[in-house]
Amino acid sequence: MTTLKRFLFLLCCGLQACATSRELAPAATSIRLKGSDTMITLVQRWAEEFMQRHPGVAVYVEGGGTATGIAAMIKGEVDISAASRPLRSVEARHLAARHHSIGVASLVAKDGLSIYLHPRNPVRNLSLAQVRDIYLGRITSWQEVGGRDEAIVALGRSPNSGTYLYFQEHVLEGQAYGNHVISLPTTAAIVAAVQKDSTAIGYGGIAYGRQLVHCSIDGVSPTEAAVRRDHYPITRYLYLYTARKPAGATKLFIDWVLSKEGQRIVKEVNYVPLFEVP
């Protein structure tokens, strides 16, 4: 084979290889996800692992709270909303008006809504009624629930938080928080505040505050087994919402989250997977 023929042969092979690689390469696409601060660590881990397995897909994650994420989904600004509570009726109406759909909810994990106490606080168990009375302002001293004669500092989330609303509906039975409750923007902020103040009480996801006491409620601790079997009194699901039936990369992502690999990450982050994983 002459030098010219060899050059033309190699050039042809190179062009074919380039064409093949373009055909096999996945089309670059992105998934925009926004919502629950409770779920932010979990969703970031999912995004990181998913992108490693699907390099042609970029997953952008942002917090801001459940209500903020749902509002962004309704406006079409994001593909998925992460939520720590069910969709509210007014949100479903807005979805129906804009998208002719009430949205699609995917249950992706379970969570025990933990009541955080400082390790130096001698209290280790509260009834659900006692927690309610603390946040309504009816119980104001730790002495009233078996602790020291010290005023209780009650910490809560901001109103845009799904956890704030879940706590209000399922612990306060729909009643308004007392004026004494100090509002903080994130679960991490509540954990940090309780860690600094032995008289404080706060609430948030089971995955946070491992250095704090996760108080038993009505004698049941928020363990993985108690949450999975719904024995713990404040057990909830965590959700991924889409405005319509998921398709394309969004469906691929949600399906992967619900797979053994995705649920194993739930366990690694210290939430409770939907089914037992090794």
Side-chain angles (χ1 to χ4, degrees), residues 75-91:
K75 294 176 183 177
E77 296 171 350
V78 298
D79 304 294
I80 302 174
S81 170
S84 58
R85 60 164 173 82
L87 210 65
R88 305 182 81 188
S89 58
V90 65
E91 293 164 338

Side-chain angles (χ1 to χ4, degrees), residues 77-275:
E77 296 171 350
V78 298
D79 304 294
I80 302 174
S81 170
S84 58
R85 60 164 173 82
L87 210 65
R88 305 182 81 188
S89 58
V90 65
E91 293 164 338
R93 287 198 299 271
H94 289 159
L95 263 173
R98 183 154 187 155
H99 299 277
H100 305 289
S101 165
I102 58 171
V104 177
S106 298
L107 307 179
V108 292
K110 294 188 80 171
D111 178 29
L113 187 60
S114 287
I115 304 301
Y116 307 133
L117 301 178
H118 193 282
R120 289 203 300 270
N121 189 331
V123 175
R124 290 295 181 270
N125 180 70
L126 292 167
S127 69
L128 200 59
Q130 287 173 328
V131 176
R132 181 183 310 119
D133 285 346
I134 287 171
Y135 278 85
L136 294 177
R138 296 170 182 166
I139 293 176
T140 59
S141 171
W142 284 113
Q143 192 174 39
E144 298 176 67
V145 291
R148 293 185 286 262
D149 185 14
E150 297 174 320
I152 298 173
V153 176
L155 308 172
R157 292 291 308 280
S158 56
N160 69 317
S161 161
T163 301
Y164 171 99
L165 290 173
Y166 183 91
F167 189 90
Q168 185 177 39
E169 292 172 1
H170 294 270
V171 179
L172 304 187
E173 298 179 335
Q175 300 175 79
Y177 285 79
N179 292 332
H180 66 295
V181 178
I182 300 169
S183 178
L184 295 175
T186 64
T187 304
I190 287 182
V191 167
V194 174
Q195 194 171 6
K196 292 177 182 178
D197 187 351
S198 62
T199 68
I201 182 172
Y203 60 79
I206 191 175
Y208 286 80
R210 309 304 288 184
Q211 69 275 37
L212 301 177
V213 171
H214 289 230
C215 185
S216 296
I217 303 298
D218 292 324
V220 181
S221 297
T223 63
E224 179 180 341
V227 170
R228 176 175 288 111
R229 295 179 176 86
D230 294 324
H231 294 164
Y232 181 67
I234 331 174
T235 293
R236 61 179 175 172
Y237 281 99
L238 303 177
Y239 305 83
L240 292 181
Y241 280 103
T242 54
R244 296 182 179 180
K245 184 177 179 180
T250 299
K251 182 180 187 303
L252 187 65
F253 177 76
I254 293 175
D255 287 348
W256 178 81
V257 162
L258 296 173
S259 72
K260 287 183 180 180
E261 286 183 344
Q263 291 297 296
R264 189 174 295 114
I265 290 173
V266 174
K267 185 171 184 177
E268 290 174 1
V269 176
N270 292 316
Y271 283 115
V272 179
L274 299 176
F275 49 84

